[in-house]
Amino acid sequence: MSFIAIQTIVNKTLLSPRRLVSSVATVDNVSNFSFTKIETFAPFNPVRLLNDFVKLGNFSLRNTKVLHAKFLRVTPRIDIYVSNSLLHCYSKSNAMDHALKLFDTILNPNVISWNTIITGFNNNFLHLDSLRIFCWMHYLGFKPNEVTCGSVLSACAAIQATMFGKQVYSLAVRNGFFDNGYVRTVMIDLFAKDSKFLDALRVFHDVDCANVVCWNAIVSAAVTNGEYLMALDLFNRMCSKFLEPNSFTFSSVLTACSALQDLEFGKSVQGRVIKCGGGDVFVETALVSLYAKCGDMDEAVKIFFQMPIRNVVSWTVIMSGFVQNNDYLMVIKIFEDLRKIGEEINSYTVTTLLRACANPGMRKEATQLHSWILKAGFSSQAEVVAALIIMYSKIGAIDLSLMVFREMDNHRNLSSWTAMILSLAKNNDKEEASDLFRKMLREKMEPDSVCTSTLLSLTDCITFGRQIHCYTLKTELIFNVSVGSSLFTMYSKCGHLKEAFQVFENMPEKDNVSWTLMISCFSEHGFAREAIQLFREMLFEECVPDGTSLSAVLTACYALPSIQLGREIHGYSIRVGLSENVSFGSSLVTMYSKCGNLALARRVFETLPQKDDIVCSSLVSGYAQQKCIKEALLLFRSLLVAGLAIDPFSISSILGGIALLKRPAIGTQIHALIVKVGLEKDVSVGSSLVMVYSRCGSIEDCCKAFGQIGKPDLIGWTSMIVSYAQHGKGAEALCAYELMKKEGFKPDPVTFVGVLSACSHNGLVDEAYFHLNSMVEDYGIQPGCRHYACLVDLLGRCGKLKEAEELINHMPIEPDALIWGTLLAACKVHGDIELGKLAARKVMELNPGDTGAYVSLSNICADMGLWEEVLNVRSLMKEAGVTKESGWSFL
């Protein structure tokens, strides 16, 4: 409203001009204003004046001051109605300082005055001031009404002051306002925003409500807190009470259907929307989102183009739907249409488009979009920059992600730092991510739970991990479930299971994921019984396990192994409706296979309604590991015929079985298939190929298969070292070992078995002792029976039988049948009958069913011409029930 319009309204109603007496209503540049002199004055009507002013709707500070000044010219003492109206006008003018000054001049403010000033502060987002005014009101003894309580609760909800809100609600209940719809609705909203849905539900159930607004509030609260099934149940109950839902109700319920991907319920809601006369743009947008998230893009597009009004949210939702369905070109096309019609584009639209371009095949479109973002001015928005960083990392251009991050310079915020650390984590760049985290702290930026959890998932250094642990304690991030879970997983990964369990026990809240991770940690470290006990505690805490949790427990079951426990878990899965889940079915197949019951594994496999490549691979692996190679090959062939994807796991399992058969022709055919599908660079497949060719006696093919591996890991290097050792190429094995260490890999116990075996096959006694000492001193690995067996074999080959015997007698661990058997074989070669008898007796004591010990001792005696001893050994074999198998050959 212009000043002239107000001048006209006021001049028509004022009786006579008066002098301005209040400093509150002082107008800037008063000398510029002139009042038209009127010969005849109409009777002064303040109500009419205020109504005319409100109808014009221009609540600027200047116009409100002029109105205030005109009232003061009529009378220096303004009545309470006019004062309250002026308070409202100042609030609408966003001039709460002037409103407060006016409020101070009111001699006897009533509850409307207090409500007006409190609501004014709320409307201007000055929520703390709103609470202070209420406290002042309460202190002076003014009794609040329903509007007061509702306004104050609204302020509490905005700043999440839950404790203060509870006190205000208690006051409202004491004053009898508990059944007021406005008060209850705002209290429900307060609890919902503070993630206290159960408290919100209690407030809702305090009174049997027939207020649609209250029902909308509780349905919205359920959706906000992820209680989607509860939201649908509340909607059903609302309809059963013959309450008419509105567009707000429909939008919330459709959002719940989208989250649950419950298309059938969503269609029933859509039918009710049509019955009620159709929805607005928000309801129709929610319908588009529902069909898009359920994968029915045809119906989503149909609804979208039938919408009479489409806003930027509608366009963004349909674009997001195509992103979820991996139709990235369609997203680009819709964006072009959006630009052509001149529709507003916001940051959410841009981030959706960036998600579409986060694909290695759309590098060109990604750079073009980046250029448009710079031109359109979106590069200053934090969420867009974060999406840019993640987009470049996903297309494999981490250098461009770093460039975008560095270009922000002094404009970086938490989201950009987090996005950069997430991108580095995705590219497994541990050092750069750790350095960035430290720099983030130096720049006084506080990492959030996502950033901290991501870094912990990368960390394999216990010292740095403990430093992050201290930081989480200092900042109280330790109370976050995801941070706590990442923390104890880090300790477990670094081999500190005791500390991992302490962190887990001290977590104030544990969700399904944290229980599952801790169970997995126990299983991975060989504590299967503890894993199963933890699962029982999980059930006792009334935490409902999902398929992932049950799969983790099944891992512990076959680690024991205990098929009985596995069956109990299987029975529980049937009871809770998870038995037909494909991923859990894969775990069941693996459990039964590794427990030796292939019949049950096959039965579970056959009963699954859907079979993917993972469950097929599990059964193939089961057959291969149980040496049922024919069944494994037949199932693998059916997997190929069905057109299912071949994963490295299934191929590695098949190759493991072929290695046992020593059938190079089949291995060559599988190798050709591997090359055809492009898996020759996979490290697990390459390592298995090395093992196959090694068992078949072709060290040249071993080297070729190893050379095809993209980035050999510890297992790949170990396979090559062991292959060289088995073929008597000790120098090459030790050379491969040195190359492996230069690549930054730390050897494990299996690697040292290969190294010591290489020394044994080449008579390298000094080198063997050197590597045995290095194993303990440099890598902290305690030698096991297999390591000592290699050393005994080496000494035996060199004829140092007494030294071998002395080594066995002074070992820090009890020698097993393998070590004594190795010594026995050496005694046979060198004809040491006395030591051979001792070694044979030890083998027979430790493994009475070992045929080789009896045969070796018998052969030693026969070579020495001691035929009576031979007969005694044969008698011992008969008494022990041991029979010698007939020899066989491929020739």
Side-chain angles (χ1 to χ4, degrees), residues 142-188:
F142 284 91
K143 186 177 180 180
N145 62 8
E146 296 96 325
V147 177
T148 319
C149 294
S151 298
V152 176
L153 288 172
S154 178
C156 292
I159 60 176
Q160 294 188 6
T162 309
M163 187 57 67
F164 191 88
K166 285 182 178 179
Q167 294 172 346
V168 175
Y169 186 67
S170 299
L171 181 65
V173 171
R174 190 177 72 184
N175 291 337
F177 307 144
F178 62 90
D179 60 345
N180 180 271
Y182 177 46
V183 173
R184 293 175 65 222
T185 299
V186 179
M187 195 64 202
I188 289 169

Side-chain angles (χ1 to χ4, degrees), residues 400 418 733:
L400 294 178
T418 303

Side-chain angles (χ1 to χ4, degrees), residues 136 155 169 189 277 296 313 387 392 407 473 476 499 513 532 537 578 648 682 726 757 772 874 876:
W136 183 20
Y169 186 67
D189 183 53
D296 190 351
V313 179
Y392 278 127
E407 282 179 350
L473 290 169
E476 297 186 353
E499 290 177 75
V513 175
I532 292 167
E537 292 179 18
L578 287 171
D682 184 89
Q726 289 174 346
S757 178
L772 189 71
R874 296 296 173 94
L876 290 173

Side-chain angles (χ1 to χ4, degrees), residues 73 82 110 273 300 396-397 411 430 466 577 670 735 786 857 876:
R73 290 184 66 187
V82 174
N110 58 14
V273 170
H411 301 290
K430 302 175 186 177
R466 283 175 174 154
I670 299 294
C735 181
R786 292 186 66 191
L857 183 58
L876 290 173

